[in-house]
Amino acid sequence: TKADIESQSGNNEVAVTEYLKALELAPARIATREKLIKLYEAAGNEPEASKQRELLQKVKDDLAKIQAQREKEMEEAKAATT
C-alpha cells in the first residue's frame, strides 16, 4: 500500500496519514492498525499509540464475539439436525 511504501521510505508522517485513511474505510483491519501503532511508538507518540492499542483490542474483542456467536449457531444447527 501507499502507507507501507511511505513507511519503508522513512516518510512516517505521510505513512501515518495514509494508515489513518485506510482505517477510516476499514476500521477492523488489524494489520493496518498494528503498523500505525508501531509508527506512533517509533515517533515517541505514546498517547496516540495507546489510543490505537485500545481500538485494536476492541476490534479483536468484537471479532472474538462474532466468532463465538457463529460457533454457537453452528452447534445449535448441528444439534437440530440430529
Side-chain angles (χ1 to χ4, degrees), residues 1-81:
T1 66
K2 181 177 181 184
D4 291 332
I5 293 168
E6 296 295 345
S7 178
Q8 292 170 0
S9 299
N11 300 324
N12 292 343
E13 289 182 27
V14 175
V16 165
T17 300
E18 293 300 320
Y19 284 134
L20 288 171
K21 286 180 187 177
L23 289 168
E24 285 179 22
L25 299 173
R29 293 197 55 152
I30 291 172
T32 301
R33 199 166 300 277
E34 288 173 337
K35 292 174 186 178
L36 180 60
I37 291 167
K38 287 181 183 179
L39 284 177
Y40 281 139
E41 289 172 341
N45 190 341
E46 186 54 34
E48 285 299 323
S50 179
K51 176 182 171 184
Q52 292 299 323
R53 282 192 291 272
E54 289 174 15
L55 291 169
L56 176 60
Q57 188 58 53
K58 183 181 181 323
V59 167
K60 288 180 176 181
D61 291 347
D62 289 348
L63 291 174
K65 288 177 189 175
I66 291 167
Q67 181 64 30
Q69 182 62 33
R70 286 184 182 163
E71 289 173 4
K72 180 182 175 187
E73 290 170 0
M74 289 177 65
E75 287 297 321
E76 289 172 353
K78 184 178 177 182
T81 60

